[in-house]
Structure formats: C-alpha cells, structure tokens
Amino acid sequence: MLKKILKILQVLLIVFFGACYVLLVWGKIDRTSAEKRMVFDQQPIQYPIRQSNITMYTDGKQLNNQLFSDIRKAKHYVHINFFSIADDKVSHQFLDLLRQKSQEGIEVYYAVDRLGGILLKKRERELLVKAGVHFTYYNKPAFPYLFASFDRRNHRRISIIDGRIGYIGGFNIGKKYLGEKVKLGHWRDYHLQIRGEGVQDLEHQFVLDWKKNTEQQIPIHSATKEKGATSHRFTAYYSGEKLGQDYAMLFHQAKESIIIVTPYFILNDKTIWNSLVDARKRGVRVKILFSPHSDALLVKEAAYPYIRKALKQGIEVYGYKKGVIHGKVFLIDKNVLMVGTVNFDSRSFHLNEEMNCYIHDPVFISKIKPVINEDIQNSKRVTSSDVNQLSIKEKLKEKFAKMIEYYL
C-alpha cells in the first residue's frame, strides 16, 4: 500500500514539475514574441511643467485621514486608482466611503489593477456597482499574448477629487500601509498631495487609462488651472526603455550626490546602472536605501548580486531597520527630487505602467531632504560581509531569486 502511495506521489510530482516547465517555456516564448512585435510598446507621456502646492505624506494613517477627508468633502466627482487593495477593515472603510459618495449623487470612478485587486471580493464589487460606482480592473490578460499581457501591470496610484486635489505615490489601500500588520511592522512610504494646475495632468492620465481598459469615455471635467508654489512635471511610462533614458539623463547631471530610496533593489537595467557607475567615476556620492524587510518574497535575495556590484563601485547601500520602507524616491544634489511609483526592479523598469513626479523647486526640496536623511539614519550601512557570508539557505534562495528576478 505504501509503495502505491509513493508511486502516485512520484507521478503527481512529475506531472506538477512538467506542467510548471511547460508554463515557463510557454511564458518565455509568449513574452519574447510580444517584445519582438512591440505589442505593448507605447511612448511615455511627458506633461508640461506645472506650478502646484505639494504636501508630502510618509505616514499611512495621516495620508488616509487626509485622503478620506477630501473624498468626504467631494461635491462633483472622485476618480481614484490604486494598484492594490486588501480585504481588511481599512479597505472596507474605503469602499464604504466610495459607495456613500456615489449614493449622494457624486460621480465616482474606481479602478484597481487586476492582479493587485485579487483580494477584492465579488460581493464587494457588486455592492460598488449597485451603489452606482463605476468600477473596472486594469490590464485584463488576453490572447494571443496571454502571459505577456498578464505580466503588464498598471502600477500607478492616481486620485483626483473635484479637479482641485490630486494624489500620487507609493501607498495602497490596506492596514499594512498604516503599519498595522504585525509581521511587517512600521511602514514608511512617500505620497504626494497636489493642489493646483498639476491636478489636470493626473486627471488626463486617469481618463486615458480608463478608456484604454474599458473603451468608455469618462465625462470631461475641467480641472483647476490655479498655480501653486512648487514647480514640477509628471511623466507617465508604458515601457522601461524611456524610463531608463530619463533616469540616466538626470543621473548624468549630478555633481555632488545621488540618493535613491526604493523598497526593492534589483537594478538590471544597464542604462541606469551605467549612469550610476559613471557618476561614481566623476566623484559623485551615490547612496541606495532599500528595504531588507519586505512585503514581497525573494526580493531581498534577488538584491544580493546588485548590492555586491554596487559596493565594488563605491556605491553606498543602506538597509532600512525600522520596518518596511516602500517609497519610490530619488534626490539629485539639491536640484531634482523624484517621487512616484517606480521601483528599482525589473517590473517597474520593463513591465509596469508607472507615473513619476519630478520636482525642481529648491525650497520644496530643502524641506524633503531632511526626511530622506532621517530614513538613512534609521538604516544600517550594508558591508560586503553582509552579502558574502550567507547561510546555505540564503544562497539557495538567492540562486532561485536570480532565475525569476525578471518577474519580481
């Protein structure tokens, strides 16, 4: 009897691993074919330089309080897209608020990425629609490029209230972003509130994304043209090539320092990497702050080879100690601050649809630089022994992470 059970298990394992292999091969062929035919290639949208009043949020509770308050005060419409949503108390409060505003007669459009919204229950979707909320998933997988289309994620987080207030940054909806998930602990992120003429660009991008995914036109609203104090520019990305070029161009301008804050450090984009190496050769001090403690599997192990390369080039690497740091930020000298949705990983560089805000205002930057320095102070500088003297378990995880890093 035991021999029969073992034989059945052996067959099942062979079938399982065989199926995995077939799926991996199919996925590779599918993705390569889509790339050769440039099926998903689309030029980025660089919006004009704008003047807005900008507020930075690094604490999830403070951001939620302000965002929820702004939504409650909406008089005309709410357009909102987060990459993901959880299935918890915070998420239910958010969905209840959208339903409430729709029932008040406010126009509400809500979108979530198809993969990021996997925890959104069917019942919750039905209640949204029943309350009059316009709902959609972004990036539905489709033939003939099933795997390639599944890989494409809308990673933007855009909120617009009445054409007066906009939001963009790293936070999503759920209790972990408020630091209330015990296993993750403290959550640090960077998110912007925009008040002023820049809101029209967030509105424009939301409308484009909605139409692309639903073929439905959102009613056109006129966002505020009122100017604020801070000069900035939004860029929406659809593929990694132009993103790499933009980053490299800015890094080549650095004279003193480059500070990069990213939850994941999987820098396999050669254009960006070469620009950082060139900066070091010019004597520019380059610092990378990443999150060893993460909400994603294997990203720490996938970072090890890139940390080794960075250390050899004299690039400083810091690991955040207080919990999870999820911000997507870089600061070049005192001249350019980027806050957006792009991680330093393969997904953001090559697969995701992203959006960044580039800020060129020295007064605003001078207020944010101490915030970034505080995060570095709450970190440990990584040494070569930290990434070279690994346990066998860590080495095996690193090898596996290397095999799948393109999808991390």
Side-chain angles (χ1 to χ4, degrees):
M1 184 65 180
L2 181 60
K3 287 183 178 180
K4 287 184 178 179
I5 293 173
L6 290 173
K7 186 68 174 177
I8 291 170
L9 288 174
Q10 185 180 24
V11 171
L12 289 174
L13 283 172
I14 291 171
V15 171
F16 173 75
F17 285 112
C20 289
Y21 179 76
V22 170
L23 288 174
L24 284 171
V25 173
W26 181 13
K28 176 70 172 178
I29 295 171
D30 185 73
R31 178 168 58 84
T32 303
S33 179
E35 287 175 354
K36 285 182 177 179
R37 290 170 172 78
M38 297 185 291
V39 174
F40 299 104
D41 278 16
Q42 185 174 338
Q43 287 298 307
I45 301 173
Q46 186 179 67
Y47 290 94
I49 295 173
R50 305 291 192 187
Q51 293 285 133
S52 302
N53 294 321
I54 303 178
T55 303
M56 172 85 84
Y57 289 89
T58 57
D59 178 83
K61 291 180 181 178
Q62 292 178 1
L63 173 68
N64 270 26
N65 288 340
Q66 187 60 56
L67 174 63
F68 285 22
S69 174
D70 289 338
I71 293 173
R72 287 190 191 98
K73 295 174 183 176
K75 302 296 183 183
H76 304 288
Y77 69 93
V78 174
H79 293 169
I80 196 159
N81 156 228
F82 280 96
F83 170 68
S84 68
I85 186 168
D87 180 18
D88 56 28
K89 181 180 177 181
V90 174
S91 304
H92 298 154
Q93 290 173 344
F94 169 74
L95 297 172
D96 286 345
L97 180 56
L98 296 187
R99 287 193 289 266
Q100 176 189 330
K101 295 307 295 184
S102 182
Q103 289 169 341
E104 291 175 7
I106 304 302
E107 174 191 298
V108 179
Y109 281 76
Y110 170 52
V112 66
D113 182 78
R114 185 164 293 272
L115 185 62
I118 197 169
L119 296 179
L120 183 61
K121 293 180 178 177
K122 181 180 178 182
R123 175 63 176 162
E124 294 287 352
R125 300 197 306 269
E126 290 173 344
L127 288 173
L128 285 171
V129 174
K130 186 177 180 181
V133 175
H134 302 267
F135 171 80
T136 192
Y137 284 113
Y138 281 161
N139 289 357
K140 179 181 179 181
F143 289 102
Y145 301 104
L146 181 65
F147 282 89
S149 61
F150 183 77
D151 275 339
R152 312 296 294 193
R153 307 265 57 90
N154 188 313
H155 200 238
R156 294 191 259 270
R157 294 113 159 123
I158 299 174
S159 304
I160 309 101
I161 297 99
D162 289 346
R164 299 181 303 103
I165 305 169
Y167 289 87
I168 186 171
F171 281 103
N172 288 302
I173 299 296
K175 70 177 186 180
K176 75 177 181 181
Y177 300 99
L178 277 59
E180 294 179 357
K181 201 162 185 177
V182 176
K183 288 184 178 180
L184 294 175
H186 175 73
W187 189 279
R188 181 76 160 181
D189 221 319
Y190 288 71
H191 214 93
L192 300 178
Q193 183 201 62
I194 310 292
R195 290 175 175 266
E197 62 175 355
V199 176
Q200 63 189 297
D201 301 329
L202 296 175
E203 173 75 6
H204 184 262
Q205 190 61 46
F206 184 91
V207 169
L208 285 179
D209 287 347
W210 188 276
K211 186 176 181 180
K212 173 188 171 185
N213 286 273
T214 66
E215 297 183 355
Q216 299 171 358
Q217 181 67 52
I218 293 178
I220 302 299
H221 299 282
S222 57
T224 181
K225 303 297 192 297
E226 184 178 343
K227 292 184 182 294
T230 300
S231 174
H232 65 94
R233 166 177 263 164
F234 291 112
T235 302
Y237 296 99
Y238 294 86
S239 63
E241 183 179 354
K242 185 60 169 65
L243 189 154
Q245 292 171 359
D246 282 0
Y247 279 26
M249 178 191 69
L250 291 169
F251 293 157
H252 282 310
Q253 296 173 10
K255 292 180 173 59
E256 296 178 1
S257 66
I258 298 171
I259 302 174
I260 296 167
V261 180
T262 174
Y264 323 120
F265 182 49
I266 310 172
L267 212 180
N268 58 6
D269 185 286
K270 291 182 180 179
T271 303
I272 299 174
W273 170 252
N274 289 338
S275 68
L276 291 177
V277 172
D278 288 344
R280 279 298 303 133
K281 290 177 179 178
R282 298 195 309 272
V284 175
R285 190 175 185 184
V286 180
K287 298 180 181 180
I288 310 286
L289 171 58
F290 84 114
S291 190
H293 185 45
S294 177
D295 62 329
L297 294 173
L298 295 174
V299 291
K300 179 181 72 173
E301 291 77 16
Y304 287 154
Y306 298 98
I307 294 174
R308 293 188 194 105
K309 285 175 61 179
L311 294 177
K312 287 179 180 178
Q313 295 294 333
I315 294 172
E316 301 170 33
V317 181
Y318 296 82
Y320 192 65
K321 293 191 303 183
K322 285 190 68 176
V324 176
I325 191 161
H326 193 250
K328 303 93 167 59
V329 178
F330 64 65
L331 174 62
I332 301 171
D333 298 333
K334 298 176 183 178
N335 304 320
V336 182
L337 172 69
M338 187 287 293
V339 181
T341 68
V342 174
N343 297 316
F344 266 61
D345 64 9
S346 291
R347 285 214 152 269
S348 285
F349 292 154
H350 305 296
L351 296 171
N352 290 344
E353 296 173 9
E354 307 278 4
M355 193 163 190
N356 284 345
C357 181
Y358 297 94
I359 298 170
H360 302 272
D361 186 274
V363 175
F364 184 82
I365 291 173
S366 69
K367 295 176 183 177
I368 303 304
K369 188 171 182 179
V371 178
I372 298 173
N373 287 336
E374 179 187 347
D375 288 337
I376 293 175
Q377 289 168 7
N378 288 322
S379 305
K380 175 186 179 296
R381 186 166 177 177
V382 180
T383 65
S384 58
S385 62
D386 293 327
V387 289
N388 288 324
Q389 298 175 9
L390 303 176
S391 66
I392 294 175
K393 181 181 177 181
E394 284 292 290
K395 289 178 180 178
L396 290 173
K397 289 169 72 175
E398 180 185 336
K399 287 184 181 298
F400 183 67
K402 185 66 178 176
M403 292 168 59
I404 61 171
E405 72 169 30
Y406 188 85
Y407 302 99
L408 292 177

